[in-house]
PDB file of all heavy atoms in Angstrom:
ATOM      1  N   ALA G   2     139.087 145.484  80.363  1.00 90.00           N
ATOM      2  CA  ALA G   2     138.825 144.114  80.028  1.00 90.00           C
ATOM      3  C   ALA G   2     137.838 143.517  80.913  1.00 90.00           C
ATOM      4  O   ALA G   2     137.672 143.845  82.147  1.00 90.00           O
ATOM      5  CB  ALA G   2     140.174 143.338  80.198  1.00 90.00           C
ATOM      6  N   ALA G   3     137.047 142.563  80.412  1.00 91.00           N
ATOM      7  CA  ALA G   3     136.002 141.922  81.129  1.00 91.00           C
ATOM      8  C   ALA G   3     135.883 140.449  80.677  1.00 91.00           C
ATOM      9  O   ALA G   3     136.190 140.026  79.584  1.00 91.00           O
ATOM     10  CB  ALA G   3     134.631 142.607  80.953  1.00 91.00           C
ATOM     11  N   CYS G   4     135.331 139.660  81.695  1.00 87.00           N
ATOM     12  CA  CYS G   4     134.992 138.202  81.401  1.00 87.00           C
ATOM     13  C   CYS G   4     133.917 138.154  80.386  1.00 87.00           C
ATOM     14  O   CYS G   4     132.876 138.858  80.510  1.00 87.00           O
ATOM     15  CB  CYS G   4     134.654 137.546  82.653  1.00 87.00           C
ATOM     16  SG  CYS G   4     134.077 135.922  82.522  1.00 87.00           S
ATOM     17  N   ASP G   5     134.133 137.303  79.418  1.00 87.00           N
ATOM     18  CA  ASP G   5     133.099 137.136  78.354  1.00 87.00           C
ATOM     19  C   ASP G   5     131.854 136.449  78.827  1.00 87.00           C
ATOM     20  O   ASP G   5     130.780 136.607  78.332  1.00 87.00           O
ATOM     21  CB  ASP G   5     133.728 136.433  77.096  1.00 87.00           C
ATOM     22  CG  ASP G   5     132.841 136.482  75.880  1.00 87.00           C
ATOM     23  OD1 ASP G   5     132.404 137.604  75.594  1.00 87.00           O
ATOM     24  OD2 ASP G   5     132.673 135.419  75.291  1.00 87.00           O
ATOM     25  N   HIS G   6     132.072 135.687  79.907  1.00 82.00           N
ATOM     26  CA  HIS G   6     130.947 134.920  80.484  1.00 82.00           C
ATOM     27  C   HIS G   6     129.990 135.677  81.438  1.00 82.00           C
ATOM     28  O   HIS G   6     128.774 135.716  81.246  1.00 82.00           O
ATOM     29  CB  HIS G   6     131.453 133.686  81.200  1.00 82.00           C
ATOM     30  CG  HIS G   6     130.462 132.788  81.700  1.00 82.00           C
ATOM     31  ND1 HIS G   6     130.073 132.728  83.027  1.00 82.00           N
ATOM     32  CD2 HIS G   6     129.721 131.801  81.105  1.00 82.00           C
ATOM     33  CE1 HIS G   6     129.133 131.835  83.258  1.00 82.00           C
ATOM     34  NE2 HIS G   6     128.819 131.284  82.044  1.00 82.00           N
ATOM     35  N   CYS G   7     130.696 136.361  82.438  1.00 84.00           N
ATOM     36  CA  CYS G   7     129.855 137.113  83.419  1.00 84.00           C
ATOM     37  C   CYS G   7     129.966 138.621  83.386  1.00 84.00           C
ATOM     38  O   CYS G   7     129.274 139.277  84.092  1.00 84.00           O
ATOM     39  CB  CYS G   7     130.184 136.555  84.773  1.00 84.00           C
ATOM     40  SG  CYS G   7     131.816 137.056  85.410  1.00 84.00           S
ATOM     41  N   GLY G   8     130.920 139.090  82.612  1.00 88.00           N
ATOM     42  CA  GLY G   8     131.116 140.582  82.471  1.00 88.00           C
ATOM     43  C   GLY G   8     131.986 141.230  83.616  1.00 88.00           C
ATOM     44  O   GLY G   8     132.136 142.427  83.610  1.00 88.00           O
ATOM     45  N   THR G   9     132.498 140.490  84.583  1.00 89.00           N
ATOM     46  CA  THR G   9     133.306 140.930  85.713  1.00 89.00           C
ATOM     47  C   THR G   9     134.604 141.491  85.112  1.00 89.00           C
ATOM     48  O   THR G   9     135.185 141.054  84.154  1.00 89.00           O
ATOM     49  CB  THR G   9     133.683 139.783  86.643  1.00 89.00           C
ATOM     50  OG1 THR G   9     132.461 139.355  87.215  1.00 89.00           O
ATOM     51  CG2 THR G   9     134.620 140.264  87.793  1.00 89.00           C
ATOM     52  N   HIS G  10     135.067 142.641  85.680  1.00 93.00           N
ATOM     53  CA  HIS G  10     136.338 143.232  85.267  1.00 93.00           C
ATOM     54  C   HIS G  10     137.481 142.291  85.632  1.00 93.00           C
ATOM     55  O   HIS G  10     137.418 141.635  86.637  1.00 93.00           O
ATOM     56  CB  HIS G  10     136.614 144.514  86.087  1.00 93.00           C
ATOM     57  CG  HIS G  10     137.906 145.083  85.966  1.00 93.00           C
ATOM     58  ND1 HIS G  10     138.376 145.640  84.733  1.00 93.00           N
ATOM     59  CD2 HIS G  10     138.974 145.060  86.784  1.00 93.00           C
ATOM     60  CE1 HIS G  10     139.625 145.989  84.899  1.00 93.00           C
ATOM     61  NE2 HIS G  10     140.021 145.659  86.096  1.00 93.00           N
ATOM     62  N   VAL G  11     138.470 142.171  84.650  1.00 92.00           N
ATOM     63  CA  VAL G  11     139.669 141.405  84.845  1.00 92.00           C
ATOM     64  C   VAL G  11     140.794 142.311  84.562  1.00 92.00           C
ATOM     65  O   VAL G  11     140.693 143.259  83.689  1.00 92.00           O
ATOM     66  CB  VAL G  11     139.644 140.111  84.108  1.00 92.00           C
ATOM     67  CG1 VAL G  11     138.655 139.054  84.509  1.00 92.00           C
ATOM     68  CG2 VAL G  11     139.500 140.366  82.580  1.00 92.00           C
ATOM     69  N   SER G  12     141.924 142.094  85.224  1.00 93.00           N
ATOM     70  CA  SER G  12     143.092 142.978  84.963  1.00 93.00           C
ATOM     71  C   SER G  12     143.793 142.604  83.611  1.00 93.00           C
ATOM     72  O   SER G  12     143.593 141.577  83.068  1.00 93.00           O
ATOM     73  CB  SER G  12     144.056 142.737  86.096  1.00 93.00           C
ATOM     74  OG  SER G  12     144.654 141.426  86.020  1.00 93.00           O
ATOM     75  N   GLU G  13     144.503 143.585  83.175  1.00 93.00           N
ATOM     76  CA  GLU G  13     145.217 143.466  81.959  1.00 93.00           C
ATOM     77  C   GLU G  13     146.172 142.293  82.118  1.00 93.00           C
ATOM     78  O   GLU G  13     146.464 141.525  81.121  1.00 93.00           O
ATOM     79  CB  GLU G  13     145.944 144.750  81.521  1.00 93.00           C
ATOM     80  CG  GLU G  13     145.043 145.813  81.075  1.00 93.00           C
ATOM     81  CD  GLU G  13     144.114 145.422  79.940  1.00 93.00           C
ATOM     82  OE1 GLU G  13     144.630 144.825  78.907  1.00 93.00           O
ATOM     83  OE2 GLU G  13     142.916 145.898  79.856  1.00 93.00           O
ATOM     84  N   ARG G  14     146.807 142.121  83.249  1.00 93.00           N
ATOM     85  CA  ARG G  14     147.655 141.034  83.480  1.00 93.00           C
ATOM     86  C   ARG G  14     146.974 139.684  83.307  1.00 93.00           C
ATOM     87  O   ARG G  14     147.461 138.702  82.648  1.00 93.00           O
ATOM     88  CB  ARG G  14     148.252 141.085  84.888  1.00 93.00           C
ATOM     89  CG  ARG G  14     149.273 140.046  85.127  1.00 93.00           C
ATOM     90  CD  ARG G  14     149.865 140.377  86.540  1.00 93.00           C
ATOM     91  NE  ARG G  14     150.925 139.385  86.760  1.00 93.00           N
ATOM     92  CZ  ARG G  14     151.611 139.357  87.978  1.00 93.00           C
ATOM     93  NH1 ARG G  14     151.330 140.154  88.878  1.00 93.00           N
ATOM     94  NH2 ARG G  14     152.453 138.391  88.178  1.00 93.00           N
ATOM     95  N   PHE G  15     145.722 139.548  83.874  1.00 92.00           N
ATOM     96  CA  PHE G  15     144.896 138.394  83.658  1.00 92.00           C
ATOM     97  C   PHE G  15     144.653 138.138  82.213  1.00 92.00           C
ATOM     98  O   PHE G  15     144.774 137.021  81.744  1.00 92.00           O
ATOM     99  CB  PHE G  15     143.584 138.512  84.455  1.00 92.00           C
ATOM    100  CG  PHE G  15     142.822 137.218  84.452  1.00 92.00           C
ATOM    101  CD1 PHE G  15     142.952 136.350  85.465  1.00 92.00           C
ATOM    102  CD2 PHE G  15     141.816 136.963  83.460  1.00 92.00           C
ATOM    103  CE1 PHE G  15     142.226 135.133  85.495  1.00 92.00           C
ATOM    104  CE2 PHE G  15     141.121 135.730  83.503  1.00 92.00           C
ATOM    105  CZ  PHE G  15     141.331 134.902  84.519  1.00 92.00           C
TER     106      PHE G  15
END
Side-chain angles (χ1 to χ4, degrees):
C4 173
D5 194 47
H6 183 261
C7 71
T9 298
H10 168 74
V11 292
S12 69
E13 291 300 322
R14 186 174 181 184
F15 188 89

